[in-house]
Amino acid sequence: MNMKSIIARGSQTIGSTVLGALVLSSGIACPADKPEDADNFYKSPKVSPQKVAFNNQYEMKVAGNLFLPDRMDGSAKYPAIIVGHPMGAVKEQSANLYAAKMAERGFVTLALDLPFWGESGGKPRNAVSPDMYAEAFSAAADFLGTRPFVDRNRIGVIGICGSGSFAVSAAKIDPRLRAVATVSMYDMGAANRNGLGKSQTLEQRKKILSDAAEQRYVEFTGGETKYTGGTVHEIHENSSPVEREFYDFYRTPRGAFTPEGQSPGLTTHPTLTSNVKFMNFYPFEDIETISPRALLFIAGEEAHSREFSEDAYKRAAEPKELYRVPKAGHVDLYDRVNLIPFDKLTEFFTEKLK
């Protein structure tokens, strides 16, 4: 990606976080009181990871890390779990951790890079396409369901942050996804239309749409690409709690990761012109049709994003469960292994994928 490309300078509000001109940086900030139990880059001695790649239905490469439990029975077929990373992240951020931990518990797991991000295909890089994101989960089911060691009738999904809404979207039209768990879920449609707590006005939304539409002319005629949203590169005394929370993960050694061929300044930032695709994304419409397949919504009790899990839970049909993690915020459930309820996830998938 050309480093001359610039962050969108028109101030954009998503929830209580103002995302305006962002300072690009080639370095990583010092951690701000990293929690002792934060272990995003966890390596398990009990599982065998391997890089894999396969095509989606549109012949785009989907990259992932496959985690196999140790001492697998060569004649057995195992339940499998697809793990999707937070929006704007890559599989090395949170998804690998969940995949490794669940593989330790006896599941075959696959941590994905969504299209346009990480090692997966798709151009332009950092593009937003809710349909393609959902398709990645179905493509992962194609891959897992054709492995000789996977029981194709026992495939589940864990969607973290934005991937929670993409996993729900996929499950509505793909019955092979037999059980879905979301963690710190963001409804990326509602977050972009309305902001957190419905703090964004219709006028602000229309301004974003207008800016993106005008920017299409610029880029169509060869001008610079603009990016929006994502995590700020600097914090100051007026930074909001949400900005600080994401910064402490994505801009410090706690969770910072730059994929090969990418630049630190562009990580987490979607393109301005494509990000408006989220305005037409309604993942919770018809969520009740996933029933009788099970849904588990996990949210931190103190999470700024809890409203999305609560909304999905209200709309979903049984069987469903809303599980609140005490004393946990949104990002806490990305990597804090003493707060992430791995036992709850194990119980859920053991029961629902039996």
Side-chain angles (χ1 to χ4, degrees):
M1 187 68 68
N2 187 344
M3 275 302 296
K4 291 182 180 179
S5 298
I6 57 176
I7 301 294
R9 295 186 182 279
S11 186
Q12 175 183 347
T13 301
I14 298 180
S16 60
T17 306
V18 177
L19 303 165
L22 304 177
V23 179
L24 297 187
S25 170
S26 60
I28 297 175
C30 293
D33 298 324
K34 176 184 174 182
E36 291 184 0
D37 60 342
D39 201 2
N40 179 70
F41 297 106
Y42 173 74
K43 305 292 184 185
S44 174
K46 302 177 183 178
V47 302
S48 301
Q50 55 185 266
K51 286 185 174 293
V52 298
F54 45 90
N55 284 345
N56 66 13
Q57 194 175 46
Y58 302 94
E59 300 185 2
M60 294 171 59
K61 172 188 172 183
V62 178
N65 289 328
L66 182 69
F67 294 81
L68 302 178
D70 279 353
R71 297 183 296 277
M72 290 177 68
D73 182 345
S75 63
K77 289 184 178 291
Y78 289 79
I81 301 172
I82 305 160
V83 184
H85 58 73
M87 176 59 206
V90 290
K91 61 185 180 299
E92 288 80 8
Q93 293 164 310
S94 193
N96 275 354
L97 168 62
Y98 274 76
K101 288 289 188 179
M102 295 307 291
E104 288 179 344
R105 289 158 170 77
F107 299 91
V108 170
T109 59
L110 176 60
L112 296 178
D113 275 331
L114 295 177
F116 311 104
W117 298 89
E119 295 179 292
S120 285
K123 291 184 178 180
R125 304 309 292 167
N126 297 24
V128 166
S129 176
D131 284 347
M132 286 297 183
Y133 295 167
E135 162 63 20
F137 289 95
S138 290
D142 297 339
F143 174 79
L144 288 171
T146 53
R147 301 309 96 188
F149 47 83
V150 170
D151 184 344
R152 65 171 56 180
N153 294 314
R154 293 193 292 162
I155 297 176
V157 179
I158 297 174
I160 305 162
C161 186
S163 276
S165 60
F166 311 144
V168 167
S169 180
K172 290 192 299 184
I173 59 173
D174 194 336
R176 299 174 301 168
L177 306 178
R178 297 302 178 91
V180 178
T182 69
V183 181
S184 290
M185 178 165 58
Y186 252 74
D187 175 347
M188 294 305 303
N192 279 273
R193 284 188 299 273
N194 307 318
L196 291 172
K198 296 181 172 57
S199 59
Q200 180 167 275
T201 67
L202 179 58
E203 289 70 24
Q204 289 172 315
R205 183 198 308 180
K206 288 183 176 180
K207 177 64 165 57
I208 294 167
L209 294 173
S210 177
D211 289 347
E214 287 300 314
Q215 179 63 20
R216 289 183 65 118
Y217 287 127
V218 174
E219 294 175 19
F220 185 80
T221 54
E224 301 284 4
T225 300
K226 282 190 177 182
Y227 298 84
T228 190
T231 302
V232 299
H233 294 263
E234 292 183 344
I235 54 173
H236 47 77
E237 62 181 11
N238 295 322
S239 296
S240 73
V242 177
E243 285 178 316
R244 292 176 183 276
E245 184 179 8
F246 284 118
Y247 177 92
D248 287 347
F249 181 80
Y250 287 110
R251 303 301 179 206
T252 75
R254 174 181 171 185
F257 185 86
T258 303
E260 185 177 353
Q262 182 63 285
S263 68
L266 294 182
T267 59
T268 78
H269 299 297
T271 63
L272 174 64
T273 56
S274 71
N275 197 62
V276 294
K277 300 293 192 299
F278 279 138
M279 301 289 190
N280 274 342
F281 182 47
Y282 294 85
F284 301 161
E285 292 296 320
D286 297 326
I287 191 174
E288 71 278 3
T289 64
I290 294 174
S291 177
R293 290 172 289 147
L295 289 161
L296 170 63
F297 306 105
I298 297 174
E301 194 174 58
E302 301 171 2
H304 68 262
S305 58
R306 201 179 77 184
E307 62 179 285
F308 302 122
S309 294
E310 292 172 343
D311 182 28
Y313 175 76
K314 289 176 183 177
R315 296 170 180 242
E318 297 287 352
K320 62 180 179 178
E321 182 178 358
L322 176 61
Y323 185 85
R324 297 184 180 91
V325 181
K327 300 180 180 179
H330 177 87
V331 172
D332 286 331
L333 299 185
Y334 283 14
D335 66 341
R336 294 190 61 186
V337 294
N338 291 344
L339 286 177
I340 298 169
F342 288 115
D343 288 345
K344 180 65 179 179
L345 287 165
T346 301
E347 173 190 320
F348 173 73
F349 285 112
T350 299
E351 170 65 23
K352 303 307 179 183
L353 296 180
K354 66 182 179 182

